[in-house]
Amino acid sequence: MEPSPKKARLGKLIRLCDRFTRTELDVICPVIKAENSVRVLYKLQEELLREAIENTGKEIGLTLQKIDWVSPPTMREIEGNLFIEFTGPQPKDEDDWNRFRERLESRLTNISKVKYILVDKVQDRSQIIPQPIISEFDFEMHKLKQCSEELENISEKSEERADLYIVADIMKSELEELTKNYTKFAVLSQNGKGKSYILNMLMLMTADNKEEYVENNKDVKVPKDFPDNTLLENLTETDRLKLPVVVKEFIKTVEDQKKDFKNVLQPVCNQLHYDTNIETSPNSRSSIGSYFSKRARFDIEPYILSQKEIERSYESTTKCVIHLRYGTLYQMKVDYFNDVDLRQQLFELFTKQDYSDNTNEHEDIKDKAQECLEARYDILTDKKFSETDMNKLRTYEDIPLSNEVLKFAGKTELYFGLGKNSTHDRLALQSALRKLTNPPEEDENKADEIKRRIAAVKQIVVYLPSKILHGGKEILEMPGTDNSDPIAMNFIRKALSEVNAVILITENGFKLCGKEVKDILFDSKFPQTYKNDPDSGKLMLLTYPEKNLKWQFGIGDKVKIQKLEQEGKKKRAEELKAVGKMLKKDSLSIAQEDDIFTSYLLPVLHTSILAQKGAEYEVITEYEDFLKHTGINNLIVHLDELVLSRQQSSFEEVKTQLSSFQKEINDAISTEDARKIVQMLSNKSYKIMYEEELTRRVEQLEIELRKKLKSMLSKDVESLVHDIFCTSVPIAAEKWNSAKKQVTSVGVYNPFFCGKNPRYKVCLFNILFDDVEKEKEKIFTKISCWINDLLDDYKNKAIEQYTKELNTLLINLGGEAIVSSGFVKEVIEQDLTYALSWYLGKKKRPFNMKTMEKFMDKSQKYSLKKIILEPNFNRNSLEESIINTTRDIEKCFMQVKINFILHLTKLHEERFKNLCGKLWIRNKSSRSWQQLVSHMKTISRESDRDNHKKTIDQLNRKMSASFN
């Protein structure tokens, strides 16, 4: 018998990567979610991945030798590839490899959410290919979610593991706070410079694919899916989680939760219905790739946002701020101004007397603003504006809004798809959004109704399944800075005071952009904050020159595109100099320069390359020299880095908490004493009786803290603010006496603008409150110090109380009071400090300097409105209005004080409720006490100590995992 032939050994490696997917319009998506990434699975759950690869290899006769992660020095580690080495018989053909890939993908999908992998045979580890971008913030959130779920499962299985329950609660709380907290990016430019177009390109190329869309929305429930007579209060948490986000958020605002669910939702909900009449042009898709490959014209329908048209430009321009957020389902919320706001806005027309006092606007811009206001008046009242009307109306309340407008004024509308077909839902949402931006030409009657809605829209929030928004980002598409009425300009100013970063889009760079763009940006709060603290706000200057033929590149322009890097460096130097000039600084600091992002942006070129046919990674590799100069990938990475930098402290706090739980205390109390305490508390009747008394004593400390905080807010803060305001009133009165001669129209009193009407030089808000602005920091710092002192006092008393409790137990056992406050402090201080920090708050409505400033600003606006603006905003004597203002300045200040303290008190109640939620766990059990008892158990049992350390150590390693 002849010996069997020697089995051939596999001489090649297997390369395992994340696979690029293509979006609905057949464009390669450059981004992947962390939860879907095989690289992330390797970093966080290597053993799980190794087992899947090993078992899959065995099925075709391969034995796993090793897995290597390889990243060249020129790349970030996050971009590395996995290389798998097997031994075994050489697979016969490509079908075997396909079966291996399919089985591995299936296995990974079953054990995780990884489903897009690329498996190739390669000769060596130098054959590294590009992979989709992973947001580092998304990576950190994914780690936090995994660790939170793992700990929650462990703590639920063992009621004795209160320490692990506490860590799980910390992680869950941080996760919830981070999920609700957006980093806001405002996109600013003149009209017609490409804001909507660029955003459409970004949404298009980063969209979830069709399979993802269906998978992510398979459990979605819409109101019609619920049985009749379902009350809001009877909706389970599971039911609420399955609702579209806009519905879920809306029902939170309903005060009476005993109302019928469907009755509440029926008037506001609009399910998106696909209509074949709104299908995009068949040529729309095919033209995307031809721009780059054939230098053909790029012709594509708007992806989601309406774009400015050549004709009827006023009607087709964005009127309000559109908030773009990530959501797995296409959905939208629309809020309309109430009738009072609309009347106050339109009464601006009747207060026009002399605008020569306004030095901030060019004549043509003032004329355009007047034209826009008149157009809105015609639309909202169904009456043609005429000068003769000016003599008939005495107050804004006399403006006759049309009955059609009154039907929806002040209302909210919700739109959502079903999640079954991404194209149908997107086109239906696009159509609904278009009707809030651009009325149709074909149906004049319908056009009138839509025009009314457009003119009355206050805010639009759109949720889109596009990964550019995933990972805590909110992009605000703003009205253009020209061809806009005062209402739109007010939208812009308000948004600029609230965002974390401004993305300024220009055609030829910041230095050459329109004066009104620079004026509105640098007259807002944003640059002042940025000037004083660069880390508090980022400026992103994007030059979008693709409208110019010289800046349109094709497949034969490799040398030209490579020159852009040098052009970009020259452009950056000019941009920084121009920004410094606007900030009135000779030169910017290094920190300020670092916080200004400048880039050319070529979204058409980038999208067209991603639409090329062929294997996705091969397309990316072949045209890498083009893609790295379009600015798109840099923009995506920069947005993610900014989000991470804002939230990094939360992730670090979790790591610190984990580290503190790793510490074991060996000397403060003996194993025997710890065992005695545990045995005593294992007696159920004694434990219940003792802990009832302990709860009463600890609650008393909490009651005392609440009283002291409330007293501080009602007495100390009232006295502090009163004294400062008493000094500020005469200063405000003096400034008003100097400025009142320049007041030539009651338009400065328009309540809608809260004393900051952009059409007038005289700004009542600034005149009255400029001096308070200088004293704000003093007020807020003092309040913060008082709060921290009271919280520290509580913490020290709590530590002493728990020390006393442990010593009482030891004495009852016949022992000595040997437990020191230092021992108790080391065990519970970290978590007690964390619990107390929830009074100050994390991300959502924190009791910090920024929130107090918002409260002061809100109180100033409200008081100014009620005491001075509303009573004087009419066509009565201007002289009388001026006299009334002089008389009511002090009254206005005192009302600000009252409102400010009311806001603080209300927040105090809300935050104290959150604090109590962190001080107590499970059936009103003291969290710190359970932590101490759990620690006694750990000391008393060596095996528990080892298990405890092992569990926390594993979580620590996972939370510390990094790509860089």
Side-chain angles (χ1 to χ4, degrees):
M1 182 176 177
E2 292 183 6
S4 59
K6 199 172 185 180
K7 287 185 177 180
R9 308 298 273 182
L10 177 61
K12 295 182 180 179
L13 297 167
I14 293 177
R15 180 179 59 205
L16 181 60
C17 298
D18 288 317
R19 176 162 59 88
F20 286 95
T21 60
R22 287 187 182 262
T23 68
E24 166 197 340
L25 296 186
D26 204 26
V27 171
I28 299 168
C29 180
V31 184
I32 190 172
K33 291 180 184 176
E35 65 182 17
N36 299 141
S37 168
V38 73
R39 287 171 286 166
V40 170
L41 186 65
Y42 175 78
K43 281 288 182 180
L44 302 185
Q45 295 171 287
E46 183 182 345
E47 290 305 315
L48 195 65
L49 176 62
R50 184 179 293 276
E51 184 181 344
I53 293 171
E54 191 169 26
N55 291 337
T56 308
K58 284 179 182 177
E59 291 174 5
I60 60 171
L62 300 176
T63 303
L64 178 63
Q65 288 295 103
K66 61 178 178 178
I67 304 174
D68 289 333
W69 176 290
V70 183
S71 297
T74 54
M75 296 165 58
R76 296 192 307 164
E77 187 183 353
I78 195 170
E79 296 165 357
N81 293 180
L82 288 168
F83 291 93
I84 305 164
E85 191 173 331
F86 281 112
T87 59
Q90 178 75 41
K92 296 176 182 178
D93 53 36
E94 201 63 34
D95 289 340
D96 284 344
W97 287 111
N98 288 334
R99 278 193 291 276
F100 175 82
R101 177 186 58 77
E102 288 167 7
R103 289 175 184 175
L104 180 57
E105 187 168 321
S106 175
R107 186 169 265 117
L108 292 178
T109 302
N110 290 332
I111 63 173
S112 68
K113 291 189 177 182
V114 174
K115 50 189 169 183
Y116 304 115
I117 60 171
L118 185 65
V119 181
D120 282 318
K121 293 181 293 181
V122 294
Q123 294 298 329
D124 56 58
R125 290 171 176 79
S126 66
Q127 294 181 266
I128 295 174
I129 60 171
Q131 292 177 94
I133 297 167
I134 298 172
S135 156
E136 290 197 54
F137 175 77
D138 185 26
F139 176 58
E140 293 294 331
M141 289 289 281
H142 182 61
K143 290 193 301 185
L144 195 55
K145 185 178 179 182
Q146 272 202 352
C147 291
S148 175
E149 288 172 352
E150 286 176 26
L151 266 180
E152 200 165 18
N153 289 335
I154 294 170
S155 61
E156 283 176 358
K157 289 174 185 174
S158 173
E159 289 191 5
E160 293 185 350
R161 299 305 301 273
D163 53 349
L164 296 186
Y165 173 85
I166 290 168
V167 185
D169 182 62
I170 289 170
M171 288 186 167
K172 189 176 179 181
S173 298
E174 289 291 352
L175 196 60
E176 287 174 357
E177 285 288 305
L178 287 164
T179 302
K180 295 171 186 174
N181 188 257
Y182 291 100
T183 299
K184 297 184 178 183
F185 299 86
V187 184
L188 179 69
S189 78
Q190 292 172 295
N191 281 299
K193 296 300 180 185
K195 289 192 305 292
S196 302
Y197 189 81
I198 291 170
L199 289 173
N200 274 330
M201 290 294 101
L202 291 171
M203 304 304 155
L204 181 159
M205 73 174 74
T206 61
D208 290 352
N209 62 45
K210 291 181 178 182
E211 293 77 16
E212 280 181 287
Y213 189 74
V214 173
E215 174 67 23
N216 291 338
N217 296 306
K218 64 183 180 183
D219 296 325
V220 166
K221 291 179 73 174
V222 296
K224 71 174 185 179
D225 296 330
F226 288 81
D228 292 337
N229 304 317
T230 300
L231 301 182
L232 286 172
E233 65 181 2
N234 292 337
L235 289 173
T236 65
E237 189 59 32
T238 303
D239 286 337
R240 290 173 185 261
L241 287 173
K242 291 179 180 178
L243 289 167
V245 177
V246 291
V247 176
K248 187 165 48 181
E249 293 301 316
F250 180 80
I251 60 178
K252 285 181 183 176
T253 65
V254 180
E255 291 184 8
D256 185 1
Q257 291 289 305
K258 294 187 181 296
K259 287 186 176 180
D260 183 81
F261 174 61
K262 286 190 175 180
N263 288 345
V264 169
L265 272 296
Q266 190 175 5
V268 298
C269 284
N270 299 274
Q271 191 169 302
L272 295 170
H273 291 289
Y274 173 67
D275 184 346
T276 54
N277 293 328
I278 58 175
E279 176 66 85
T280 53
S281 163
N283 297 323
S284 191
R285 294 188 187 192
S286 58
S287 68
I288 299 176
S290 61
Y291 172 85
F292 175 68
S293 61
K294 300 177 183 177
R295 299 298 295 267
R297 185 170 178 266
F298 192 94
D299 182 23
I300 186 171
E301 297 286 331
Y303 183 72
I304 193 72
L305 299 170
S306 298
Q307 293 163 194
K308 190 174 176 65
E309 296 186 354
I310 296 173
E311 300 295 328
R312 299 155 64 236
S313 63
Y314 166 69
E315 293 178 357
S316 67
T317 188
T318 305
K319 301 295 192 304
C320 70
V321 176
I322 298 179
H323 299 250
L324 303 172
R325 299 173 182 170
Y326 180 81
T328 60
L329 184 74
Y330 283 105
Q331 52 193 300
M332 174 171 71
K333 178 174 77 103
V334 182
D335 292 319
Y336 294 96
F337 282 116
N338 61 40
D339 61 323
V340 173
D341 284 337
L342 292 173
R343 287 186 169 105
Q344 288 176 351
Q345 293 165 12
L346 296 179
F347 199 64
E348 183 78 7
L349 287 165
F350 301 93
T351 61
K352 178 178 178 288
Q353 291 183 18
D354 180 8
Y355 293 121
S356 60
D357 61 350
N358 192 335
T359 58
N360 290 329
E361 291 187 36
H362 298 295
E363 205 62 40
D364 59 335
I365 295 175
K366 288 189 288 183
D367 291 343
K368 190 63 183 177
Q370 182 71 8
E371 179 188 328
C372 293
L373 275 173
E374 290 179 14
R376 293 183 82 244
Y377 182 87
D378 297 347
I379 293 165
L380 293 170
T381 65
D382 285 347
K383 290 182 63 180
K384 195 74 178 171
F385 175 78
S386 67
E387 295 292 329
T388 57
D389 289 333
M390 293 181 67
N391 299 319
K392 297 177 183 177
L393 304 179
R394 309 308 304 172
T395 175
Y396 65 85
E397 294 172 341
D398 296 335
I399 290 181
L401 295 177
S402 74
N403 290 331
E404 287 76 10
V405 171
L406 290 173
K407 288 176 185 176
F408 60 79
K411 299 290 196 309
T412 293
E413 292 176 345
L414 309 177
Y415 298 81
F416 46 82
L418 289 176
K420 309 296 183 189
N421 186 302
S422 59
T423 302
H424 291 180
D425 285 352
R426 176 179 66 80
L427 291 174
L429 180 60
Q430 181 205 68
S431 177
L433 186 55
R434 183 180 177 82
K435 289 173 184 175
L436 296 168
T437 312
N438 192 6
E441 295 179 12
E442 60 276 6
D443 188 338
E444 204 162 307
N445 293 326
K446 218 170 188 180
D448 288 341
E449 179 191 344
I450 291 171
K451 284 178 184 179
R452 293 186 194 104
R453 290 181 178 274
I454 291 173
V457 169
K458 180 179 182 180
Q459 177 178 269
I460 300 173
V461 181
V462 184
Y463 290 87
L464 303 169
S466 290
K467 298 179 183 71
I468 185 74
L469 299 166
H470 189 252
K473 293 184 284 293
E474 179 177 26
I475 294 178
L476 281 60
E477 188 200 12
M478 314 262 272
T481 56
D482 57 341
N483 291 343
S484 294
D485 61 20
I487 291 86
M489 299 299 278
N490 188 59
F491 277 136
I492 296 171
R493 285 191 168 90
K494 186 177 179 182
L496 288 175
S497 68
E498 297 174 350
V499 297
N500 307 106
V502 174
I503 301 174
L504 182 61
I505 295 174
T506 59
E507 194 171 341
N508 298 302
F510 177 74
K511 184 178 179 181
L512 300 176
C513 75
K515 182 178 183 299
E516 79 281 353
V517 182
K518 294 178 181 177
D519 286 344
I520 197 165
L521 175 60
F522 286 90
D523 286 343
S524 70
K525 271 188 176 182
F526 179 83
Q528 192 57 45
T529 307
Y530 166 78
K531 189 175 179 180
N532 298 332
D533 180 13
D535 289 335
S536 64
K538 310 292 179 184
L539 186 57
M540 303 172 70
L541 305 177
L542 304 182
T543 303
Y544 168 58
E546 279 186 313
K547 291 181 182 180
N548 189 322
L549 284 173
K550 293 180 180 178
W551 287 87
Q552 294 179 4
F553 303 97
I555 197 166
D557 296 325
K558 187 171 182 179
V559 175
K560 288 182 182 178
I561 199 77
Q562 287 176 336
K563 288 182 179 178
L564 279 184
E565 196 165 343
Q566 292 304 316
E567 288 293 323
K569 289 178 181 177
K570 292 177 187 175
K571 173 71 75 175
R572 177 172 172 80
E574 293 174 4
E575 301 287 66
L576 294 178
K577 193 179 291 185
V579 172
K581 188 176 179 181
M582 292 301 297
L583 289 172
K584 297 178 181 176
K585 291 172 71 76
D586 294 332
S587 62
L588 298 174
S589 68
I590 293 174
Q592 286 172 330
E593 287 190 1
D594 288 344
D595 285 324
I596 297 176
F597 175 77
T598 59
S599 178
Y600 284 113
L601 208 63
L602 307 175
V604 181
L605 175 65
H606 198 94
T607 308
S608 184
I609 292 172
L610 295 182
Q612 300 305 303
K613 302 300 179 185
E616 289 79 12
Y617 78 90
E618 290 178 355
V619 172
I620 301 290
T621 303
E622 184 176 358
Y623 302 118
E624 183 182 6
D625 287 335
F626 285 89
L627 291 171
K628 70 182 181 183
H629 289 108
T630 63
I632 297 296
N633 284 351
N634 282 342
L635 174 63
I636 292 171
V637 170
H638 194 78
L639 293 177
D640 288 328
E641 286 175 348
L642 177 54
V643 177
L644 181 63
S645 67
R646 282 193 67 244
Q647 313 292 13
Q648 187 68 59
S649 59
S650 296
F651 299 118
E652 293 302 325
E653 189 167 356
V654 171
K655 292 174 187 175
T656 301
Q657 288 287 337
L658 282 172
S659 296
S660 73
F661 276 97
Q662 266 189 314
K663 294 177 182 176
E664 292 296 331
I665 302 159
N666 298 313
D667 301 326
I669 189 168
S670 69
T671 300
E672 185 59 31
D673 283 338
R675 188 176 293 124
K676 286 178 182 178
I677 291 174
V678 171
Q679 286 174 347
M680 178 178 277
L681 291 176
S682 65
N683 183 313
K684 194 170 183 180
S685 58
Y686 181 83
K687 181 177 184 290
I688 292 172
M689 180 185 69
Y690 185 82
E691 290 194 352
E692 280 180 357
E693 287 298 310
L694 179 141
T695 298
R696 184 184 58 77
R697 289 189 287 271
V698 172
E699 275 185 331
Q700 192 56 42
L701 293 177
E702 187 183 305
I703 291 167
E704 288 175 12
L705 173 63
R706 187 174 201 149
K707 283 181 180 176
K708 287 177 181 178
L709 285 167
K710 200 161 185 178
S711 174
M712 178 270 295
L713 292 171
S714 61
K715 294 179 181 177
D716 298 341
V717 174
E718 194 278 341
S719 177
L720 172 68
V721 176
H722 183 83
D723 290 347
I724 289 174
F725 279 11
C726 284
T727 305
S728 298
V729 166
I731 296 171
E734 187 179 338
K735 285 185 176 180
W736 168 244
N737 283 330
S738 301
K740 63 187 180 183
K741 298 170 188 175
Q742 301 176 62
V743 178
T744 57
S745 167
V746 292
V748 298
Y749 291 96
N750 192 330
F752 177 78
F753 298 103
C754 298
K756 294 183 177 182
N757 196 323
R759 302 186 83 183
Y760 300 92
K761 183 180 178 182
V762 174
C763 178
L764 275 170
F765 186 94
N766 291 346
I767 287 171
L768 265 60
F769 301 124
D770 262 358
D771 187 65
V772 175
E773 190 68 32
K774 301 170 189 173
E775 301 294 330
K776 277 182 182 179
E777 190 173 348
K778 177 181 174 182
I779 295 171
F780 306 152
T781 302
K782 195 71 177 172
I783 295 171
S784 294
C785 287
W786 285 335
I787 290 173
N788 285 319
D789 287 347
L790 290 174
L791 295 179
D792 284 343
D793 181 59
Y794 169 84
K795 182 169 68 176
N796 292 332
K797 287 180 177 176
I799 289 170
E800 289 299 328
Q801 183 65 46
Y802 289 119
T803 304
K804 186 177 178 181
E805 299 296 342
L806 282 179
N807 281 322
T808 299
L809 283 174
L810 287 173
I811 291 169
N812 291 343
L813 286 165
E816 298 179 11
I818 60 169
V819 177
S820 68
S821 59
F823 166 79
V824 174
K825 183 177 181 180
E826 192 165 353
V827 176
I828 69 171
E829 183 184 32
Q830 188 82 23
D831 184 62
L832 188 54
T833 301
Y834 178 80
L836 290 171
S837 73
W838 280 84
Y839 178 77
L840 296 173
K842 296 288 182 176
K843 307 294 180 187
K844 188 180 178 184
R845 286 177 63 78
F847 207 140
N848 61 10
M849 302 279 277
K850 192 172 181 179
T851 301
M852 286 189 271
E853 184 166 2
K854 281 183 181 177
F855 285 166
M856 180 64 79
D857 185 65
K858 194 173 180 180
S859 302
Q860 289 168 328
K861 287 176 180 175
Y862 178 82
S863 303
L864 183 60
K865 224 172 159 180
K866 295 299 177 185
I867 306 297
I868 292 176
L869 301 181
E870 287 182 353
N872 295 300
F873 186 53
N874 51 47
R875 290 186 54 75
N876 294 328
S877 163
L878 180 62
E879 290 76 17
E880 188 180 347
S881 296
I882 291 172
I883 291 169
N884 292 343
T885 303
T886 306
R887 179 196 66 203
D888 292 333
I889 289 176
E890 184 175 0
K891 182 181 176 183
C892 178
F893 269 82
M894 293 305 110
Q895 190 60 49
V896 173
K897 176 188 70 176
I898 293 168
N899 291 338
F900 178 62
I901 292 171
L902 282 173
H903 281 305
L904 291 180
T905 304
K906 187 176 178 182
L907 182 61
H908 153 73
E909 295 296 339
E910 183 183 320
R911 297 260 43 109
F912 204 86
K913 187 178 178 181
N914 279 23
L915 166 61
C916 293
K918 298 301 171 187
L919 292 174
W920 305 92
I921 60 172
R922 295 174 180 170
N923 303 321
K924 198 63 177 175
S925 177
S926 164
R927 178 164 164 151
S928 293
W929 177 250
Q930 293 304 323
Q931 191 177 349
L932 277 168
V933 172
S934 184
H935 194 76
M936 293 297 109
K937 291 174 183 176
T938 301
I939 294 174
S940 68
R941 296 197 291 261
E942 290 295 329
S943 60
D944 275 10
R945 179 181 298 185
D946 292 339
N947 289 336
H948 169 97
K949 292 180 78 171
K950 184 179 179 181
T951 301
I952 299 296
D953 187 52
Q954 287 173 344
L955 291 171
N956 250 321
R957 283 202 303 272
K958 186 171 283 191
M959 282 301 298
S960 299
S962 171
F963 274 122
N964 298 309

